[in-house]
Amino acid sequence: MAQLSRFGEISMIAVQVELWPLGSERPRKMIASMVIENRGLDSSGISYRYAAELHHTADPVLQISAAEQSIEICGHHRQDAIWTLIHRVLSAALAENSTLDSVAQRDGGRDPGAD
């Protein structure tokens, strides 16, 4: 299903993250989304540029505010796995914006499931 983004073009990839309370599909809640668009060949002429928008919802209980971020990825080869592109987008977003990484910073990087 294609989704129209603020870039004004039809999105190539849409990723949604849903919370399923107690593992139940209902009532599920979308807590984050990512839209990635192919912007054509990069300056090398052999790999591609992608523009991505990332969004996550606020959660007052966890003291997380809503956030949006735009990222551009250059030098991605289309024959690479989709997970490689998603990894590159997430890595760039986390490196660029500490808001998306605020929980890890607040908790000192510990794994909350390790308690």
Side-chain angles (χ1 to χ4, degrees), residues 102-114:
S102 61
V103 173
Q105 289 178 359
R106 184 178 64 237
D107 293 340
R110 70 176 177 83
D111 179 0

Side-chain angles (χ1 to χ4, degrees), residues 28-82:
R28 65 181 175 220
K29 173 182 162 184
M30 186 170 67
I31 59 174
S33 64
M34 176 190 323
V35 176
I36 305 173
E37 297 179 356
N38 183 334
R39 306 295 280 189
L41 288 170
D42 64 13
S43 60
S44 72
I46 57 172
S47 55
Y48 288 79
R49 294 180 309 120
Y50 293 86
E53 292 180 354
L54 294 86
H55 308 271
H56 71 257
T57 59
D59 189 328
V61 173
L62 297 176
Q63 299 176 354
I64 299 172
S65 57
E68 293 184 3
Q69 188 173 3
S70 296
I71 296 291
E72 185 165 312
I73 300 294
C74 294
H76 181 75
H77 297 276
R78 289 175 57 175
Q79 68 270 23
D80 289 344
I82 186 61

